[in-house]
Amino acid sequence: MKLRYETLEIWQLAMQLLGKWEELKKKYPLEERYKLIDQLDRAIISIALNIAEGSAKFSNKDFSRFVGNARGSLMEVKNAFQISLQRGYITPNEWRELEELIKKQYFKQIAFQKWLLTNSSTASKPRLAGRSGISSHNEGQTLVEMVFALGVAVLVIVALVAATTVAVRNAQFAKSESLASKYGQEAME
């Protein structure tokens, strides 16, 4: 069973960008290991991680925020590759290939984020392919979410029953304490 984020084209493009980076970073000089290489590693990985984390949120509005974070990381990656080109770590052809992939990812993320915000009043799952950045839809995900929601509802009911039981016991204790005080005063008189 694929999880929601694995079906999204924006996540698949992020993984494709990560794969290209893994090939390219072997060409970078060792003195960039804890500088540009480390920065690119974190930023490229952050794109895929934000999409995956956002897909687990319960509202499209929350998911949209994570897609925005992913796009911020994508712009960081683009700029780091521009610096890499300027320093001669990648060739102009490699830069053009990366830039095309980044542009495609950028516009797919914008389209998907707009879809999420347009449909933020519902908990529906996207079903469209193409411009929205979605390549397929997994119906099993909805069942998992329903089971999870049912589990949460059961926990809420158990908590309410427990709170009611405690309130009733406290009321009975207060009544007993009041009676004991009353009988104690009568005994003293």
Side-chain angles (χ1 to χ4, degrees):
M1 175 180 99
K2 284 190 174 187
L3 296 175
R4 181 180 185 193
Y5 71 90
E6 294 172 306
T7 66
L8 298 174
E9 187 176 0
I10 58 172
W11 179 81
Q12 294 165 0
L13 288 169
M15 296 304 289
Q16 186 179 346
L17 183 61
L18 178 61
K20 289 199 179 300
W21 166 237
E22 292 297 328
E23 294 170 15
L24 286 173
K25 76 176 169 181
K26 297 171 188 168
K27 296 173 45 177
Y28 281 63
L30 286 178
E31 64 263 14
E32 289 291 355
R33 176 66 193 124
Y34 297 106
K35 298 175 188 171
L36 198 55
I37 292 173
D38 189 48
Q39 192 68 27
L40 273 162
D41 273 342
R42 286 184 280 117
I44 290 174
I45 290 169
S46 177
I47 298 167
L49 291 178
N50 270 295
I51 294 166
E53 184 176 358
S55 74
K57 299 303 175 185
F58 285 107
S59 75
N60 287 344
K61 186 176 179 182
D62 284 343
F63 191 0
S64 170
R65 187 170 48 88
F66 283 87
V67 173
N69 293 343
R71 195 168 54 256
S73 294
L74 184 66
M75 292 300 91
E76 183 179 348
V77 167
K78 181 178 181 183
N79 189 241
F81 280 134
Q82 289 169 319
I83 293 167
S84 297
L85 177 65
Q86 185 179 26
R87 292 183 179 175
Y89 302 151
I90 61 174
T91 66
N93 285 340
E94 290 168 333
W95 163 243
R96 279 189 288 280
E97 186 180 336
L98 289 165
E99 187 177 32
E100 279 305 308
L101 185 57
I102 290 168
K103 280 182 186 177
K104 184 176 183 180
Q105 169 81 311
Y106 179 81
F107 289 112
K108 294 278 185 178
Q109 284 183 9
I110 288 174
F112 184 57
Q113 191 172 29
K114 284 180 181 177
W115 185 92
L116 288 170
L117 292 172
T118 301
N119 294 286
S120 65
S121 63
T122 65
S124 67
K125 301 290 181 264
R127 296 176 188 263
L128 306 172
R131 290 187 358 195
S132 66
I134 304 156
S135 59
S136 66
H137 177 68
N138 186 355
E139 293 294 333
Q141 186 83 22
T142 305
L143 178 60
V144 170
E145 290 173 351
M146 287 175 27
V147 169
F148 181 77
L150 181 61
V152 169
V154 168
L155 287 174
V156 168
I157 291 169
V158 168
L160 288 172
V161 168
T164 304
T165 302
V166 168
V168 168
R169 285 183 182 165
N170 285 342
Q172 288 174 343
F173 177 77
K175 184 178 177 183
S176 297
E177 187 178 27
S178 174
L179 283 173
S181 177
K182 178 181 172 186
Y183 292 140
Q185 284 179 351
E186 286 178 6
M188 293 174 94
E189 293 175 357

